[in-house]
Amino acid sequence: MDTAISEAAGAGSAFGYIAILVVGVAVVAGLIWAFRLGFKVRRREPAPPRPEEQPTRPVSGPVQEERQARSWDDVPQAADESERLTPHQLNPTGTKPADDQRRPRWEPGSSGSFGGGGGGRT
């Protein structure tokens, strides 16, 4: 807002009151315009899916989580220094199934977390 308008409003003159009224009407008109624009945009969007259009569970039942221990898969080395490896010669994931598939467990004597206050391994 211009300093002249704020000074006029502070002085209590008729111009100050009119300036505040005009700014207030402009703000309200802008808010009404934004609301109507949002309403029009929302009306153009597709409706939410009906209950019969919702995805359903597979016939075999819910999909289960699979747990697998993974280990690093080393990048293959080229046979010759001048030879370049192509993308199909590389493993895309960078890991492979680990030889030991047992779950790692908490070991007695370890604190369980960094700074947990335990004695740690001795």
Side-chain angles (χ1 to χ4, degrees):
M1 196 158 55
D2 191 27
T3 57
I5 294 174
S6 61
E7 288 176 12
S13 67
F15 173 72
Y17 293 130
I18 292 173
I20 290 175
L21 181 66
V22 168
V23 170
V25 168
V27 167
V28 169
L31 289 172
I32 290 172
W33 174 80
F35 177 78
R36 292 189 65 174
L37 178 67
F39 191 71
K40 286 179 184 178
V41 168
R42 178 145 183 180
R43 216 179 332 170
R44 281 185 271 160
E45 292 177 354
R50 296 188 303 270
E52 60 270 4
E53 295 174 344
Q54 296 287 339
T56 58
R57 244 187 253 178
V59 178
S60 61
V63 178
Q64 300 297 320
E65 181 178 309
E66 181 178 323
R67 293 180 183 249
Q68 184 182 52
R70 308 282 294 175
S71 64
W72 294 107
D73 192 10
D74 294 332
V75 176
Q77 298 295 321
D80 185 15
E81 290 293 323
S82 63
E83 180 185 0
R84 293 179 57 186
L85 294 175
T86 57
H88 72 275
Q89 294 171 316
L90 301 173
N91 186 0
T93 61
T95 61
K96 61 182 178 183
D99 296 332
D100 184 16
Q101 288 293 318
R102 289 180 293 154
R103 274 182 62 192
R105 296 290 186 180
W106 176 77
E107 296 178 15
S110 67
S111 65
S113 66
F114 179 75
R121 294 189 183 143
T122 53

